Amino acid sequence: MTLLKIARLGHPVLLARARPVGDPTAPAIRKLAADMIETMRDAGGIGLAAPQVHESVRLVVALPIASREESRAVEPLVLVDPELVPLDGGSEEAFEGCLSIPGLRGLVRRARRVAFRALDLAGRTVEGEAEGLFARILQHELDHLEGVLFPMRMTDLRSLAFESELRHPLADDSFRATTPGGEGDRG
Ligand code: NI
């Protein structure tokens, strides 16, 4: 396996709409998925989308976790040509980060529950429901396939902050309701 270079904010691949994978059983796709998992783990991420490693295809890896503490023990999910549907359950705000925007975090509102469907590397259908952090990870990673980065989802850029500064209380009370740092996606 190979550690891949992660594209950072400003690289055009992050703003492009990714193309369908086609054959999920192709050896090149299997290798890409394995390399993405290794790269995500090495970088301390909890999700990664192929455009973040300069491959503009609809492939993501994501940890099906309810909290960051579980991230070491859980096997990543590989999702080929994934689709999401928001479910009832409303939305919630939490801090997110992104391996393509190192050091920065910001509050993003996401659906609390989603249903997902994709193919696995054997070409079988994978489907399920996700909520909380896992639902947030899926929404963040699928945004990458549309060329959307988390700051483009923020409604109040005042919460955009370097992670190392989030130990300071934020001036606006509305930001204090959410725990900074711990729960957010970094994918
Ligand atoms: Ni990301």
Side-chain angles (χ1 to χ4, degrees), residues 8-85:
R8 293 189 303 168
L9 184 64
H11 194 295
V13 71
L14 295 173
L15 298 178
R17 185 164 196 272
R19 65 182 183 278
V21 166
D23 179 7
T25 67
I29 292 299
R30 182 173 298 270
K31 169 144 176 53
L32 176 60
D35 290 346
M36 283 171 59
I37 289 170
E38 191 185 20
T39 302
M40 174 185 73
R41 292 281 200 200
D42 179 74
I46 53 183
L48 188 68
Q52 293 183 272
V53 292
H54 307 85
E55 295 286 347
S56 194
V57 293
R58 305 183 79 78
L59 171 64
V60 308
V61 297
L63 295 180
I65 53 174
S67 73
R68 282 199 73 91
E69 290 68 51
E70 296 172 36
S71 59
R72 282 283 141 199
V74 169
E75 280 299 306
L77 218 54
V78 176
L79 300 175
V80 174
D81 294 338
E83 290 170 25
L84 279 189
V85 183

Side-chain angles (χ1 to χ4, degrees), residues 47 52 97-100 140-141 144 149-150 185-187:
Q52 293 183 272
C98 181
L99 294 175
S100 295
H140 177 114
E141 300 312 332
H144 276 299
L149 301 166
F150 84 78
D185 178 17
R186 192 184 291 139

Side-chain angles (χ1 to χ4, degrees), residues 49 60 62 79 82-87 90-92 96 108-116 130-146 148-150 153 185:
V60 308
L79 300 175
E83 290 170 25
L84 279 189
V85 183
L87 297 174
S91 63
E92 60 193 2
E96 287 187 17
V108 183
R109 181 165 290 280
R110 301 280 190 187
R112 213 179 63 74
R113 294 176 62 233
V114 296
F116 63 93
E131 63 175 75
L133 180 57
F134 182 34
R136 178 172 295 275
I137 295 169
L138 291 176
Q139 290 169 84
H140 177 114
E141 300 312 332
L142 266 77
D143 267 357
H144 276 299
L145 305 183
E146 303 300 324
V148 174
L149 301 166
F150 84 78
R153 291 281 188 204
D185 178 17

